[in-house]
Amino acid sequence: MRCPRDGSKLTGPGTPGLSLFSENGIHSCESCHGMLISAEAADSKIAIGNLEKMHEEFENEGSDVELGCPGCETMMRVRTIVFTKPDGTKTEPMELDGCPSCSSFWFDSGELQKLAPPFETADEEPEREARALAILIQMLMLLPYRIS
């Protein structure tokens, strides 16, 4: 599977030592630090259910973007998503690219890094950065959200 932004090979759920990846169906790009999450690649029933519910928001709505889904190559759509934190405050709006055909979503690293700034050594330690962002995605998937 290849990164939809720069064509680099994506590190996938089967990577040893990255159990969060397999639980949540996460693939990451070591080059741009973007992350793909996919219900079809997830092991966790909670993650699968949340991603399939989120997918419904992209089936018929959203703006088309010039970004091919790494899973099925359908052109993705972009929507704005806001998560509600446990204390009731909202996250900054993030653009989320979702595939209208399969339950896959692309988080650009810049969108995720609004919520968790990157490590200073992110480029030298892409696995460490990927683990940190995977934890963030796992937490986000458990929060209520609003898509517009």
Side-chain angles (χ1 to χ4, degrees), residues 29 47 58 121-122:
C29 178
F58 286 82
T121 58

Side-chain angles (χ1 to χ4, degrees), residues 126-144:
E127 272 193 26
R128 181 178 179 212
E129 179 74 1
R131 280 191 198 103
L133 293 177
I135 291 168
L136 175 63
I137 286 177
Q138 184 177 38
M139 290 187 304
L140 287 176
M141 291 299 101
L142 298 174
L143 296 176

Side-chain angles (χ1 to χ4, degrees), residues 53-54 57-58 79-85 90-96 140 143-148:
K53 182 180 174 200
M54 193 180 288
E57 301 282 345
F58 286 82
R79 303 224 31 211
T80 300
I81 187 166
V82 175
F83 293 95
T84 303
K85 299 177 195 176
K90 309 281 188 209
T91 64
E92 290 293 318
M94 298 180 354
E95 284 193 351
L96 178 63
L140 287 176
L143 296 176
Y145 61 86
R146 180 180 43 80
I147 295 179
S148 56

Side-chain angles (χ1 to χ4, degrees), residues 93-114:
M94 298 180 354
E95 284 193 351
L96 178 63
D97 302 298
C99 180
S101 298
C102 70
S103 299
S104 294
F105 303 90
W106 180 258
F107 284 91
D108 288 313
S109 66
E111 296 295 326
L112 291 171
Q113 290 168 351
K114 287 179 185 176

Side-chain angles (χ1 to χ4, degrees), residues 11-27:
T11 300
T15 304
L18 297 176
S19 61
L20 280 178
F21 278 40
S22 59
E23 287 176 23
N24 297 288
I26 297 173
H27 297 77

